[in-house]
């Protein structure tokens, strides 16, 4: 039998072949051991690594938590504009409000809003959240309803304080609550849905209040302006009871008729994987540690600049310019709906990109640069009309990063539930505190519609926000490297 022999290989060629085979084997083993994770698509609600059990849990949480916080926040926005609407709809004459009493009512509201944010948020961390949030909502609705019975301004002062206190802590409290259930790759989108409720409320409140006044004025002997508060109450109470029925507490102490023991355990494991610590006793050493740490001061300073960067929209620059140009009331109201619509779109885009690509710093920087461009155009003022419209609408993107800023705070302060509560509530409180009086100096009505000081002030705020972004990124990167090391 004839055998065919292979030609002999040289020693060098054989060694090369063996080395190549070994290298290929190592590559195959490495690929099997550490496969490259599939990246989540921007349109996907779940990450590719989410198990079927996780996906069921996430959908349940969205139905139990996100629906409630969206509706509750929407209802609160109705009240924030109800007093101004009531004032021009008969309340001024009925209660004999003259001089600066409307300003005083707004000031009393803001005092309650600002002073009680941090205390009530911290109290919530000590209580079952599934009872505390709906209970605060319920009392908020009762105090809102009581305003319809007011017979003098002094009664309104007292009621407005409690309405401000019970409504003011809701935003930071919900941001903390979301951070107790959702992972980093999920937080921004849920925070954006929650934040969008305020924009939907701004867009819908005018139509709801106008329709209510037109149809209900004088019904059952009740003036139209009083009906506005009754409607706010009627919207709030069902939402509050829905919260009592649906909301779970936090994963560490969760009792829910809708979540199984396995799902609660899975939620706890998910937060452990994010290094998101459960609630602990609030001791003096812990308070001192929070006060001495960089997170509180850097994040609060960052939020201070961000909170006022939406001045173009919040100070009605577009409305006053349209009025000065002779646009009709109907046209002004219609055109003004574009700005909150831009904010909604920007919020969704930023939230999706933040969750999928973890691009918080880049998104914040991009938004700040867009706002700077818009304000430079408006500061110049003498530009083509189309460019001016574009600048006004572009400034609506300023609030689009709200959700990712608070999601980032949840991530940075993950190691302590108490620090998360202090930092998030302080960020919102300080921002609102400065936002309550600074506009009196930089957004003067006499400067309208060309708010030269206001537009330049907003440019300065965005520049400072970019500088603080560098500082924040430095501290956060240093901490991550230290933790990994």
């Amino acid at each position: 039998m004839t055998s065919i022999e292979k030609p002999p290989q040289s020693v060098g060629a054989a060694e090369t072949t063996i080395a190549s085979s070994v290298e290929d084997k190592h590559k195959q083993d490495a690929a099997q051991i550490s496969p490259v994770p599939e990246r989540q698509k921007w349109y996907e609600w779940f990450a590719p690594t989410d198990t079927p059990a996780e996906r069921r849990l996430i959908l349940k949480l969205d139905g139990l938590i996100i629906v409630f916080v969206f509706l509750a926040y929407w209802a609160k926005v109705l009240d924030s504009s109800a007093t101004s609407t009531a004032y021009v709809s008969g309340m001024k004459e009925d209660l004999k409000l003259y001089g600066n009493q409307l300003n005083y009512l707004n000031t009393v509201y803001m005092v309650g809003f600002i002073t009680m944010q941090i205390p009530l948020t911290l109290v919530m961390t000590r209580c079952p959240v599934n009872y505390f949030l709906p209970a605060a909502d319920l009392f908020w609705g009762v105090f809102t309803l009581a305003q319809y019975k007011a017979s003098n301004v002094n009664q309104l002062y007292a009621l407005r304080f409690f309405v401000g206190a019970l409504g003011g802590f809701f935003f930071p409290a919900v941001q903390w609550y979301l951070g107790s259930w959702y992972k980093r790759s999920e937080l921004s989108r849920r925070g954006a849905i929650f934040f969008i409720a305020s924009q939907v409320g701004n867009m819908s409140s005018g139509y709801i209040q106008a329709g209510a006044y037109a149809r209900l004025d004088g019904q059952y002997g009740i003036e139209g302006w009083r009906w506005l508060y009754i409607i706010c109450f009627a919207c709030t109470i069902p939402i509050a009871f829905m919260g009592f029925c649906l909301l779970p507490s936090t994963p560490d102490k969760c009792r829910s008729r809708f979540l199984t023991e396995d799902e609660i355990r899975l939620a706890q494991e998910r937060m452990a994987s994010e290094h998101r610590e459960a609630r602990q006793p609030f001791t003096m050493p812990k308070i001192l540690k929070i006060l001495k740490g960089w997170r509180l001061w850097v994040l609060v300073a960052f939020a201070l600049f961000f909170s006022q960067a939406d001045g173009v929209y919040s100070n009605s620059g577009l409305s006053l310019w349209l009025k000065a140009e002779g646009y009709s009331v109907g046209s002004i109201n219609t055109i003004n709906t574009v700005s909150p619509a831009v904010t909604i779109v920007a919020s969704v885009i930023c939230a999706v990109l933040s969750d999928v690509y973890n691009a918080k710093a880049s998104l914040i920087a991009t938004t700040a640069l867009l706002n700077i461009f818009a304000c430079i155009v408006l500061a110049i003022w003498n530009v083509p009309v189309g460019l001016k419209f574009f600048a006004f609408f572009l400034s609506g993107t300023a609030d689009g990063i709200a959700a990712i800023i608070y999601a980032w705070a949840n991530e940075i302060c993950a190691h302590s539930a108490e620090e998360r509560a202090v930092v998030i509530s302080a960020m919102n409180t300080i921002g609102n505190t400065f936002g309550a009086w600074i506009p009196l100096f930089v957004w003067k009505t006499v400067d309208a519609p060309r708010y030269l000081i206001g537009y330049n002030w907003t440019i300065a705020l965005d520049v400072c926000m970019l500088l603080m972004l560098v500082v924040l990124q430095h501290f956060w990167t240093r901490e991550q490297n230290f933790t990994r090391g």
Side-chain angles (χ1 to χ4, degrees):
M1 190 173 185
T2 307
S3 62
I4 301 175
E5 296 184 0
K6 294 181 181 178
Q9 290 181 317
S10 66
V11 174
E15 289 179 347
T16 302
T17 303
I18 294 171
S20 178
S21 301
V22 171
E23 184 178 353
D24 290 342
K25 183 69 167 57
H26 284 325
K27 287 181 179 179
Q28 291 174 3
D29 291 343
Q32 292 174 356
I33 296 172
S34 303
V36 178
E38 182 183 352
R39 182 180 291 277
Q40 183 178 356
K41 306 293 191 304
W42 66 267
Y43 54 83
E44 292 179 336
W45 195 244
F46 305 106
T49 54
D50 289 339
T51 64
E54 275 190 285
R55 297 185 181 200
R56 286 193 298 271
L57 173 62
I58 292 169
L59 285 178
K60 278 190 177 183
L61 293 176
D62 292 341
L64 298 174
I65 297 174
I66 302 302
V67 173
F68 167 77
V69 298
F70 180 94
L71 293 175
Y73 200 30
W74 168 80
K76 283 174 175 52
V77 174
L78 292 182
D79 174 76
S80 66
S81 59
T83 297
S84 297
T85 304
Y87 182 81
V88 298
S89 302
M91 183 172 73
K92 175 183 177 182
E93 293 75 18
D94 287 350
L95 301 186
K96 298 179 175 55
L97 304 181
Y98 300 106
N100 292 320
Q101 288 179 318
L102 177 61
N103 291 334
Y104 297 153
L105 283 171
N106 291 331
T107 299
V108 169
Y109 173 87
M110 287 304 299
V111 169
F113 190 96
I114 291 170
T115 58
M116 299 306 294
Q117 274 193 3
I118 296 177
L120 286 178
T121 304
L122 295 181
V123 169
M124 187 194 70
T125 65
R126 304 296 95 196
C127 302
V129 181
N130 54 320
Y131 296 131
F132 192 89
L133 276 180
D137 221 35
L138 184 64
F139 282 112
W140 178 84
V142 170
F143 280 108
T144 298
L145 176 66
Q147 292 173 96
Y148 107 93
K149 293 291 290 182
S151 58
N152 59 66
V153 71
N154 291 325
Q155 294 174 359
L156 276 182
Y157 287 147
L159 293 170
R160 292 303 292 170
F161 174 85
F162 286 107
V163 169
L166 291 167
F169 89 101
F170 190 75
F171 182 84
V174 168
Q175 296 291 347
W176 178 88
Y177 183 42
L178 295 178
S180 299
W181 280 103
Y182 289 102
K183 297 170 69 173
R184 180 207 60 76
S185 58
E186 301 159 355
L187 258 178
S188 294
R189 278 171 291 176
R190 275 71 183 183
I193 293 172
F194 168 60
F195 176 75
I196 285 170
S198 65
Q199 307 303 312
V200 175
N202 285 328
M203 296 172 70
S204 61
S205 60
Y207 298 107
I208 293 173
Q209 291 166 358
Y213 182 82
R215 293 176 180 273
L216 296 174
D217 186 25
Q219 293 291 321
Y220 304 103
I222 300 174
E223 294 91 342
W225 69 267
R226 297 183 188 272
W227 275 108
L228 298 179
Y229 293 114
I230 297 174
I231 289 171
C232 287
F233 169 80
C235 292
T236 300
I237 298 306
I239 297 171
F241 280 109
M242 183 180 72
F244 281 119
C245 295
L246 299 182
L247 285 186
S249 187
T250 50
D252 56 314
K253 296 180 180 178
C254 182
R255 290 183 179 86
S256 172
R257 64 174 63 92
F258 298 103
L259 297 177
T260 66
E261 291 295 329
D262 288 339
E263 288 172 332
I264 293 172
R265 195 177 304 110
L266 176 60
Q268 294 169 349
E269 293 170 356
R270 279 162 45 86
M271 292 300 96
S273 70
E274 295 278 301
H275 308 291
R276 202 88 43 87
E277 293 294 332
R279 291 179 286 183
Q280 302 292 335
F282 213 146
T283 61
M284 183 56 67
K286 178 167 287 190
I287 294 174
L288 293 176
K289 183 179 179 181
I290 293 171
L291 293 176
K292 291 178 181 178
W294 66 267
R295 302 175 195 85
L296 174 64
W297 305 110
V298 172
L299 284 167
V300 167
F302 184 84
L304 170 63
F305 298 120
F306 160 73
S307 64
Q308 300 171 66
D310 66 342
V312 178
Y313 172 67
S314 60
N315 290 281
S316 306
L318 176 59
S319 302
L320 295 173
W321 173 62
L322 293 173
K323 183 176 181 180
E325 292 294 310
Y327 284 78
S328 67
V329 174
S331 296
I332 293 173
N333 290 334
T334 301
I335 294 172
N336 262 323
T337 61
V338 175
S339 292
V342 170
T343 302
I344 291 173
V345 172
S347 297
V348 172
I349 292 174
C350 287
V352 170
L353 295 179
S354 173
D355 280 351
V356 174
Y357 299 103
N358 194 22
K360 294 180 179 68
S362 300
L363 292 167
I364 292 170
T366 301
T367 300
L369 291 172
L370 291 176
N371 205 31
I372 288 172
F373 172 78
C375 289
I376 289 175
V377 171
L378 295 173
I380 295 172
W381 194 252
N382 294 318
V383 297
V385 173
L387 181 58
K388 191 174 293 186
F389 268 116
F390 177 75
F392 274 120
F393 295 151
L394 186 63
S395 67
T397 61
D399 278 336
I401 54 176
I404 66 175
I405 288 174
Y406 285 93
W408 203 1
N410 268 307
E411 181 182 353
I412 290 172
C413 302
H415 67 285
S416 170
E418 290 69 37
E419 185 174 48
R420 282 197 297 119
V422 171
V423 170
I424 290 173
S425 57
M427 288 169 65
N428 202 50
T429 298
I430 298 301
N432 281 297
T433 300
F434 280 88
W437 59 271
I438 285 182
L440 299 176
F441 299 95
V442 299
W443 296 97
K444 296 180 180 179
T445 306
V446 293
D447 295 336
R450 188 188 179 184
Y451 287 114
L452 182 59
I453 298 175
Y455 299 139
N456 283 294
W457 170 248
T458 305
I459 293 171
L461 288 172
D462 279 304
V463 171
C464 290
M465 189 168 71
L466 288 172
L467 294 175
M468 283 305 305
L469 178 62
V470 175
V471 174
L472 175 58
Q473 187 69 40
H474 165 74
F475 277 101
W476 179 227
T477 302
R478 187 185 68 177
E479 181 166 307
Q480 286 179 304
N481 291 337
F482 177 79
T483 303
R484 294 190 188 112

